Amino acid sequence: GGRARDKAALPGGSSEHCRMGASGAVRTKWREFREVREGVARSVPGVSVVCAIELGSTNSDGQPPDEKTVASRTVNVVLRQVFGRKTPVSSCITGTVKKGSALVVKTNAGFLKTDDGKESRCFEIAGTDGNYFPAKAVIRGNEIDLTSDEVTDPVEMKYAWAVFVEPNVVNEAGLPLFPFRSLKGESSAA
């Protein structure tokens, strides 16, 4: 299921292709799909991904009801990556660093905040046993400190790493932070 968007050739051999929505067995692997998609965007020149994780992510088909917002974000990515304009785009987690009993999440944002003024949500951390627990997330500029009473020695983290999520962390432009996970010290954007 899902609807495909038009694919358009852009200057410099770049292309943009948006496909939203999935159902059934595909939807249960949504996290992995996002991770693979991000990996392709990082490793293939001219390929980009638009983050719309907070739009329609709790409905059964994943199709955002506000397609104009997805289109606007896509235009901003094209303007930035193809034409070199300084348009606002979503921010990515660039890695994690262990600091005592916390994991410090680093991003490429100017600064982060929540879009609803509430505590940040959708963060989890795990110790060496791999058991994940909800994490308290404290935003400090463009970094986030993650801690949990249940995890004294964190080595892994996840953000918005579920099929249906309602994340609330955004960058200075009000655009969502991409879903992400790190595994035993390695970083992997999704």
Side-chain angles (χ1 to χ4, degrees), residues 49-168:
V49 176
V50 173
C51 185
I53 188 70
E54 86 292 10
L55 301 174
S57 63
T58 59
N59 65 32
S60 63
D61 70 357
Q63 187 66 36
D66 180 7
E67 293 179 352
K68 287 182 182 180
T69 299
V70 176
S72 174
R73 290 179 188 177
T74 302
V75 168
N76 282 345
V77 167
V78 171
L79 289 173
R80 177 178 284 243
Q81 295 195 350
V82 177
F83 297 102
R85 295 201 188 151
K86 294 192 179 208
T87 56
V89 295
S90 292
S91 295
C92 298
I93 293 173
T94 57
T96 58
V97 175
K98 189 163 187 244
K99 188 175 181 182
S101 62
L103 276 182
V104 178
V105 177
K106 299 190 175 279
T107 73
N108 64 356
F111 69 87
L112 298 168
K113 61 184 179 179
T114 60
D115 62 4
D116 56 8
K118 298 179 181 177
E119 287 188 16
S120 51
R121 56 183 176 260
C122 298
F123 285 97
E124 299 174 90
I125 59 175
T128 55
D129 61 3
N131 293 323
Y132 280 88
F133 294 92
K136 178 178 181 186
V138 176
I139 296 173
R140 292 182 302 105
N142 68 347
E143 297 182 346
I144 306 163
D145 293 343
L146 302 177
T147 59
S148 172
D149 290 340
E150 290 85 8
V151 182
T152 57
D153 188 25
V155 296
E156 299 179 3
M157 64 79 63
K158 297 178 186 179
Y159 172 67
W161 205 257
V163 175
F164 298 108
V165 294
E166 294 184 76
N168 65 342

